[in-house]
Amino acid sequence: MSAGLSRGVLLALFGTLVLTPDAMLMRLSGMEGFQMTGWRGLFMGTMMVLAWAALSRDRAGDVARLCRGPGMLIVAAQVLNSMLFCLGIASAPAAMVLMGVAAVPVFSAVLSRVVTGEATSALTWAAIAAVMTGIGIAVLGSGHGDVALNWAAATGAVFGLGVAFVLALNFVTVRASPDLPILLAIGVGAWIAGGIGWSLTGVDAMFEGRVWAMAITGGVVLPVSFFMLSLAARHTLAANVSLLMLLETVLGPLWVWIGAGERPTVAMLIGGAVVVGSLAVYLSILRRRAALIVPR
């Protein structure tokens, strides 16, 4: 039990760290929302399905399981996740979108209770409260005086909240259905989102901007991170996975600042420090509790 908890936390941490440059690469691409959706879906879907084909020991069974309710739910969640995140990044400050995504642990805790009957511990709720306080400091202290900027920030937060809900749904569903073929489900969902992006953008317009940035994020960053995060949900509570994902809320805007010059405000940096500090304390307590129940 403790080994599973530790494995799940480590997988979630690695997946989140790999994911953090994603928004920066999207900014560097210079693409529109559905254009990014098209390329990310094509690259990510291809990598995930190829990995599934190489690793699966029961392809026919995997396809059958994918066609059931939980499998279709994962596919739909991936389609919505890809589209909402791309549209948010294209239309709003990256930091605001990531702030909205920070609501994943709240949705995960509620959905876990409803779907799997797993209660969220007081420690996890305390950690959620602490990190959401940090997010609140970052958002409320941003000081956008321009109405257009405020509207863009609000739009980004709404898109981010949508992403948070479907990500939480993904994690909870994976935990409730351990036999789901994760690679295949996410790959098919990415392909569908990509197809929508290509059809709405048009082939000629798809090649405007920096395709190499989409190749990196869609071919490497997203497949590795999403597989690790979904796999982590099989070894620890969905709320724990989503809580670790809050690191992207802090590190993602810093990557965008370094790579694309979109500078976060002082309030965002302070709020980020609260998030990182809260996560550090939470993980330290988790490790201590796991060590106490290891047979000696």
Side-chain angles (χ1 to χ4, degrees):
M1 187 173 179
S2 61
L5 174 63
S6 177
R7 187 182 302 114
V9 169
L10 289 175
L11 286 170
L13 180 60
F14 178 73
T16 300
L17 291 176
V18 172
L19 185 61
T20 55
D22 182 33
M24 177 194 70
L25 290 166
M26 294 172 73
R27 273 285 187 266
L28 290 176
S29 74
M31 296 182 179
E32 298 297 327
F34 282 114
Q35 186 184 6
M36 288 191 289
T37 302
W39 280 117
R40 281 158 60 93
L42 174 64
F43 285 120
M44 181 181 181
T46 300
M47 293 299 294
M48 298 294 269
V49 173
L50 286 176
W52 163 78
L55 298 174
S56 176
R57 298 180 179 179
D58 182 18
R59 295 178 186 173
D62 284 347
V63 172
R65 285 185 285 273
L66 178 68
C67 294
R68 297 171 188 164
M72 290 293 96
L73 194 58
I74 293 294
V75 171
Q78 180 57 40
V79 173
L80 290 172
N81 168 49
S82 182
M83 294 177 62
L84 291 173
F85 191 69
C86 290
L87 292 172
I89 292 294
S91 61
M96 298 307 301
V97 179
L98 294 173
M99 295 294 177
V101 177
V104 171
V106 177
F107 288 123
S108 292
V110 174
L111 288 173
S112 289
R113 184 66 173 177
V114 173
V115 176
T116 66
E118 293 176 326
T120 303
S121 69
L123 172 64
T124 300
W125 279 118
I128 289 173
V131 295
M132 293 306 290
T133 297
I135 300 304
I137 292 172
V139 173
L140 297 177
S142 296
H144 293 302
D146 187 272
V147 174
L149 285 177
N150 282 333
W151 177 252
T155 301
V158 170
F159 276 121
L161 287 170
V163 173
F165 179 80
V166 294
L167 277 176
L169 186 61
N170 182 319
F171 297 147
V172 171
T173 304
V174 167
R175 184 160 176 80
S177 306
D179 62 338
L180 280 177
I182 298 175
L183 290 169
L184 179 61
I186 294 179
V188 170
W191 264 348
I192 294 173
I196 293 172
W198 276 79
S199 64
L200 292 177
T201 303
V203 175
D204 292 338
M206 283 297 297
F207 289 89
E208 298 175 0
R210 302 181 181 93
V211 177
W212 62 264
M214 289 294 97
I216 294 174
T217 190
V220 180
V221 171
L222 293 178
V224 172
S225 61
F226 273 72
F227 177 68
M228 290 296 170
L229 289 167
S230 295
L231 190 60
R234 288 183 172 174
H235 298 283
T236 186
L237 294 175
N240 291 339
V241 177
S242 53
L243 188 62
L244 284 166
M245 280 194 68
L246 289 175
L247 281 173
E248 187 190 13
T249 305
V250 179
L251 299 179
L254 293 179
W255 277 111
V256 174
W257 181 13
I258 294 170
E262 189 176 300
R263 185 175 183 176
T265 65
V266 174
M268 290 180 185
L269 296 176
I270 295 173
V274 173
V275 172
V276 172
S278 301
L279 284 172
V281 172
Y282 176 73
L283 291 175
S284 176
I285 295 174
L286 277 185
R287 285 188 59 189
R288 193 174 300 116
R289 286 185 176 181
L292 288 176
I293 61 175
V294 171
R296 297 184 184 278

